[in-house]
Amino acid sequence: MVDVYVPETLEEAVSFLGLHAGAAIPIAGGTDALIDIRTGRSMPEWLVDLSSVPRLGDVELDGEVLRLGALVRIRAVELDPELGRRATAIVEAARVLGSVQVRTMATVGGNLCHATPSAEMPPSLLVHDAVAEIAGVGGRRSIPLAELFAGPGRTTLGPDELLTSLLARAPASSAGSCYLRQTVRWSMDLAGVGVSASVEVDGTVVTDARVALAAVAPVPLLVEAASEAIVGTNLPPEAAREAGRRAAAACSPISDARGTAGYRREVVSVLVPRALRIAWLRATGAWTQGVPAPVNGMSTGEDL
Amino acid sequence: MRIELRVNGDMYRREVEPDLTLLSFLRDVLGLTGTKWGCLTGDCGACTVLLDGEPVVACLQLACQVQDREVTTIEGLGTEEGLDEVQAAFVSNGAAQCGFCTPGMIMSVEALLGSNPSPSEAQVRESLSGNLCRCTGYNKIVDAVLQAAQDRQMANDGS
Ligand code: FES
Ligand code: FES
C-alpha cells in the first residue's frame, strides 16, 4: 500500500524525494499518478503531496514574462482572460485537455512531468519560449523546456528534483500564437497530432516565429527549420506550406490507434501552415474571431 | 491519516487509509452511494462531485487531499420537500434512462450553472463532455439543462 507524505516546504519535499529515491513520486492533481498506480505502471511506496508547498500554484505576469507555478491548475489557465490575449496557444491547449473535471484537478507541471508524447501543454509552452525552473537537494537550476523531456514518460529530472515553475514569454502586442490538434473525438481524447505556432511581427512582416509539435516523436519537438521558412516574409501561402513540409520532415511519428505514421506526417504538413496563419493574423491584429479560436485543427476552414 | 472535511454541509472527522479515494470515502465510509463507481480512470464522469463548487472526478481524488474542504454530492441537492431545478428538469425531459450517469451529469450541470447561469447549448455540451451516457444520446440531457437554467433564473427573479 502506498503512503502519503505532505511536505510543508519545497526543501522538505526535495529532501524526502532524495531520501526515498525510486520509491517516492510527487503527486499534484493525481489525474495521471493515480491511474498509473492503479494500472501497475508505477508502484511507489510514497506519494509526496505537493499541495501544501507554498507558491507552487501562483500565476504572475511581470512585463513580458509569465510565470506559471507547476501546481497551477489547467482550468485556471483556461479561464484566465489576460493569458487568453497574451499566451493564446497555452490557453487553447488548456482548453482541450481532458474534461472540465480533469482540468479542474490536473496541473501544468503534472502534464509536463508525466512526459506523455501527446500531452497538450508542451508545444504551446515551447513556442512561448518556456524555461523550466527546477529545485533539488543541491539547489536550483533552469533549463529550456525542451530539455526537460527524455522520452515517453521520462524526464531529465533527478530523483530528488521537482519542476517548480515555468517562465514563458507573453508579449502584449505584435505577437500571436495558436494551438491546433487533430483528434478522433472532440473531447476526452489525446492528440493524434498537436501543433503550436507563435509569430512576432513588425507591421505584417514576421520578425520571429516558433513551431512546435506533439504526438509525432518520442518527445515534444521545437522545429527551428520550420519557423526559419517564414521569418522576413508576410507569410505568403507558399512560405507557410514550406514551413509545414519542413515540420513534417522533422518528425518521427509512430503508427497506432490514433493514426498511421504517414497520416500523422500529412496532418503536420496541413496544421503547421494553418497554425502559423492564425498566429500571424492574431499578431497583426487581423484576427477578428475572438479568443480562443477553433480548438480542433481538423475543423478549421481550409481557406485560412 | 486523520481528515476533516465538510460533505453536503455536515462536518466529518475520520481516520482514513492514505490511498483511499474520495469516491470510496463517500460510498463506503459515509454510505453516500449516489456518487457512482464507474471507470476509475477519470473518463466517464459518473463519480463527479463538487469540491468547493468545482467539479472533480472523485475516483482520482485522494480523500486525504480534501482536508478542510467542502464536498457536494448528489445527496446534497434539493430539499426534503422536493428536487432542485436541475433534478426536476432531468425528470420532466426524460434525461435519465438507466440513471447511472445521472448523478455525475447533474453535478457537472450544477458546476456550470454556478458559474454561468444562462449557458448556450455549445457551452452545455462542452461542460458535459467529461460525462458519458450510454442511454440517452445526450439530446434530452442538453434540453434538460437549458430548461433548468431558465427555471432557476425565473425562480431567482421571482424571489
Ligand atoms: S468513475 Fe470516476 S470518472 Fe469514471
Ligand atoms: S441514462 Fe443510462 S448512462 Fe445515462
Side-chain angles (χ1 to χ4, degrees):
Chain A
M1 198 191 69
V2 58
D3 217 333
V4 177
Y5 170 67
V6 190
E8 302 277 337
T9 66
L10 194 55
E11 290 66 33
E12 282 176 18
V14 295
S15 61
F16 189 92
L17 286 167
L19 215 60
H20 298 267
I25 60 165
I27 180 166
T31 55
D32 280 323
L34 291 188
I35 295 174
D36 285 352
I37 291 171
R38 229 164 252 162
T39 55
R41 265 196 298 260
S42 93
M43 284 178 274
E45 288 163 32
W46 288 96
L47 291 175
V48 180
D49 172 5
L50 301 176
S51 53
S52 301
V53 176
R55 299 205 54 239
L56 289 185
D58 294 357
V59 178
E60 291 161 36
L61 253 173
D62 183 7
E64 287 204 336
V65 181
L66 164 67
R67 180 191 293 266
L68 282 177
L71 256 65
V72 171
R73 307 278 162 178
I74 302 295
R75 183 75 170 158
V77 173
E78 176 190 357
L79 297 179
D80 190 316
E82 186 66 12
L83 296 189
R85 282 186 286 276
R86 295 175 53 169
T88 314
I90 298 175
V91 170
E92 285 178 330
R95 194 165 173 245
V96 295
L97 191 155
S99 60
V100 177
Q101 295 96 312
V102 169
R103 300 200 287 277
T104 301
M105 304 168 79
T107 64
V108 174
N111 189 253
L112 298 176
C113 291
H114 197 249
T116 309
S118 61
E120 308 294 352
M121 302 309 288
S124 297
L125 283 160
L126 286 172
V127 302
H128 279 274
D129 289 349
V131 167
E133 295 192 308
I134 295 163
V137 172
R140 294 176 185 245
R141 64 189 178 104
S142 297
I143 54 171
L145 177 60
E147 292 172 20
L148 181 70
F149 308 106
R154 289 185 298 116
T155 67
T156 55
L157 294 176
D160 64 309
E161 285 187 317
L162 279 175
L163 174 68
T164 57
S165 55
L166 295 139
L167 294 181
R169 274 197 71 223
S173 59
S174 303
S177 67
C178 171
Y179 176 71
L180 299 174
R181 64 173 192 167
Q182 176 270 325
T183 52
V184 178
R185 302 182 68 234
W186 270 82
S187 54
M188 296 305 291
D189 202 354
L190 298 177
V193 172
V195 169
S196 202
S198 68
V199 167
E200 282 184 59
V201 293
D202 181 358
T204 59
V205 178
V206 177
T207 55
D208 207 358
R210 306 273 183 276
V211 170
L213 311 173
V216 291
V219 293
L221 290 184
L222 194 59
V223 189
E224 273 172 44
S227 37
E228 279 162 10
I230 65 156
V231 172
T233 74
N234 282 314
L235 199 67
E238 186 39 42
R241 278 198 292 272
E242 174 60 19
R245 280 192 290 272
R246 292 184 186 186
C251 64
S252 51
I254 57 167
S255 296
D256 67 11
R258 291 191 172 76
T260 62
Y263 176 68
R264 285 188 152 119
R265 228 184 266 278
E266 191 64 31
V267 171
V268 167
S269 72
V270 173
L271 290 192
V272 165
R274 200 176 288 173
L276 281 168
R277 179 85 182 154
I278 295 173
W280 180 81
L281 287 170
R282 286 178 173 154
T284 57
W287 181 263
T288 52
Q289 297 181 31
V291 173
V295 290
N296 188 313
M298 303 313 278
S299 66
T300 307
E302 284 287 345
D303 50 332
L304 265 170
Chain B
M1 295 181 94
R2 201 165 175 69
I3 60 165
E4 198 172 309
L5 75 170
R6 204 175 274 281
V7 180
N8 299 331
D10 297 326
M11 255 334 260
Y12 292 93
R13 279 179 207 88
R14 290 287 190 282
E15 196 64 38
V16 299
E17 296 296 344
D19 62 351
L20 188 79
T21 60
L22 177 59
L23 179 59
S24 296
F25 179 78
L26 292 170
R27 290 180 58 91
D28 303 338
V29 179
L30 301 188
L32 297 173
T33 51
T35 305
K36 297 303 175 217
W37 177 282
C39 63
L40 299 195
T41 50
D43 291 302
C44 75
C47 65
T48 303
V49 298
L50 304 187
L51 198 51
D52 297 329
E54 307 268 359
V56 299
V57 281
C59 67
L60 296 182
Q61 175 70 55
L62 291 178
C64 65
Q65 287 189 301
V66 188
Q67 197 67 268
D68 296 327
R69 300 178 70 183
E70 165 95 46
V71 178
T72 310
T73 71
I74 189 75
E75 288 90 347
L77 303 183
T79 60
E80 290 287 320
E81 288 76 51
L83 304 175
D84 89 343
E85 295 89 349
V86 182
Q87 293 171 310
F90 266 63
V91 173
S92 60
N93 283 275
Q97 289 185 20
C98 80
F100 194 85
C101 70
T102 311
M105 282 283 177
I106 289 182
M107 297 320 290
S108 283
V109 176
E110 297 289 351
L112 169 68
L113 297 185
S115 61
N116 181 359
S118 51
S120 67
E121 181 182 334
Q123 287 168 328
V124 171
R125 287 185 182 274
E126 196 198 335
S127 16
L128 293 182
S129 61
N131 292 83
L132 300 188
C133 177
R134 298 302 303 269
C135 304
T136 64
Y138 300 100
N139 287 335
K140 290 183 176 185
I141 293 176
V142 174
D143 293 346
V145 179
L146 293 171
Q147 190 200 319
Q150 264 183 1
D151 292 350
R152 185 168 286 180
Q153 280 205 312
M154 259 157 49
N156 289 347
D157 291 348
S159 62

